[in-house]
């Protein structure tokens, strides 16, 4: 499967993004072509998983693929729990940071071939990553192909009712004019996400810490619980543990 090349290459080559991750702080923004700025929460992304994040991770099932993992706080937290997890990101700085935290990560776009396709228990789209590629239906279709039958998608949505597509750049305060390439991005509230989720079954919605989340499950299987409520405890069994590919990336066992 081919990747939307503009988006992947632009994120991968965004010097302000790489610099912010290496420093662990912003300010950093997505800048639309009309000059509107969306602040990016670099400090939170570079910190350890907080209580809101941990609640999301409590809801995950089986092996976990974190799409657009950024600096890796979620993958690292899952690894610390003994859970099989892999982060994917197009940014070398993001992947390096994830590995330093103790997580496993692969430098790749979600639209490129990935380990364990069709066998992941949960896919995460956190921190606005429902916007990847600027085409929500295409992203949801891709995620459906990554999950095992009845697998779970947990997505963080915008805290406002919005459904927009735009061409954006990653900029900091020293680059307000935007010299990097524009790439397509989307912002979706929960209602918009559900409108695009044809072939998915809603499995939960919640808000915490000013952040909004939705869980979706493929309708292709009724074998799993229809709810994404957090379990009373998290168990790790041997069949959920990762085996290594030749590249050293975790792939869930069949």
């Amino acid at each position: 499967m081919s990747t939307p090349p503009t988006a992947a290459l632009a994120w991968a080559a965004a010097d302000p993004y790489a610099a912010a991750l290496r420093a662990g702080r912003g300010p950093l923004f997505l800048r639309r072509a009309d000059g509107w700025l969306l602040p990016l929460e670099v400090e939170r992304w570079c910190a350890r998983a907080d209580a809101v994040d941990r609640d999301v991770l409590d809801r995950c099932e089986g092996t976990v693929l974190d799409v657009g993992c950024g600096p890796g706080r979620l993958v690292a937290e899952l690894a610390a729990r003994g859970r099989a997890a892999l982060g994917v990101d197009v940014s070398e700085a993001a992947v390096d940071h994830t590995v330093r935290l103790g997580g496993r990560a692969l430098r790749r776009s979600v639209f490129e071939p990935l380990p364990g396709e069709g066998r992941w228990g949960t896919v995460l789209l956190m921190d606005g990553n429902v916007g990847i590629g600027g085409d929500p239906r295409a992203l949801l279709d891709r995620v459906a192909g990554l999950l095992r039958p009845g697998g779970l998608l947990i997505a963080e949505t915008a805290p406002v009712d919005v459904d927009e597509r735009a061409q954006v750049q990653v900029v900091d305060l020293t680059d307000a004019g935007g010299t990097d390439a524009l790439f397509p991005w989307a912002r979706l509230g929960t209602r918009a996400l559900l409108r695009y989720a044809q072939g998915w079954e809603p499995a939960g919605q919640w808000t915490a810490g000013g952040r909004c989340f939705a869980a979706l499950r493929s309708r292709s299987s009724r074998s799993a619980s229809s709810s994404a409520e957090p379990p009373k405890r998290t168990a790790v069994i041997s069949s959920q543990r990762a085996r290594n590919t030749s590249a050293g990336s975790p792939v869930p066992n069949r």
Side-chain angles (χ1 to χ4, degrees), residues 116-194:
E117 295 203 12
R119 289 179 281 149
W120 292 98
T122 303
V123 169
L124 297 175
L125 289 172
M126 298 281 281
D127 304 325
N129 285 330
V130 289
I132 289 173
D135 185 338
R137 280 202 177 95
L139 181 59
L140 287 170
D141 287 347
R142 175 59 176 144
V143 169
L146 295 170
L147 286 166
R148 61 175 167 78
L152 188 68
L153 165 64
I154 300 179
E156 183 171 355
T157 56
V160 292
D161 187 13
V162 63
D163 181 0
E164 68 175 22
R165 261 62 59 83
Q167 296 289 316
V168 299
Q169 299 162 297
V170 182
V171 300
D172 58 24
L173 291 180
T174 66
D175 189 32
T179 59
D180 288 328
L182 290 164
F183 58 92
W185 197 255
R187 289 181 69 225
L188 300 179
T190 298
R191 289 205 300 177
L193 176 65
L194 294 177

Side-chain angles (χ1 to χ4, degrees), residues 3-4 7 20 26 67 70 73 96 104 119 135 137 141 151 155 158 166 176 186 220 222 229 231 239 250:
T3 177
V67 172
R73 73 189 191 281
D96 289 346
R104 294 193 177 190
R119 289 179 281 149
D135 185 338
R137 280 202 177 95
D141 287 347
S220 62
R222 299 286 182 171
E229 290 300 314
S239 64

Side-chain angles (χ1 to χ4, degrees), residues 14-67:
D15 289 337
Y17 180 64
L21 293 193
R22 292 188 180 108
R25 62 181 184 276
L28 196 68
F29 307 89
L30 284 184
R31 180 186 183 274
R32 281 193 323 218
D34 63 4
W36 181 83
L37 296 173
L38 174 69
L40 301 178
E41 299 182 73
V42 178
E43 288 84 357
R44 180 171 65 79
W45 298 350
C46 289
R48 293 286 181 171
D50 61 20
V52 176
D53 296 327
R54 293 193 296 271
D55 175 70
V56 170
L57 300 183
D58 288 343
R59 301 168 190 258
C60 291
E61 301 170 358
T63 53
V64 182
L65 181 67
D66 185 5
V67 172

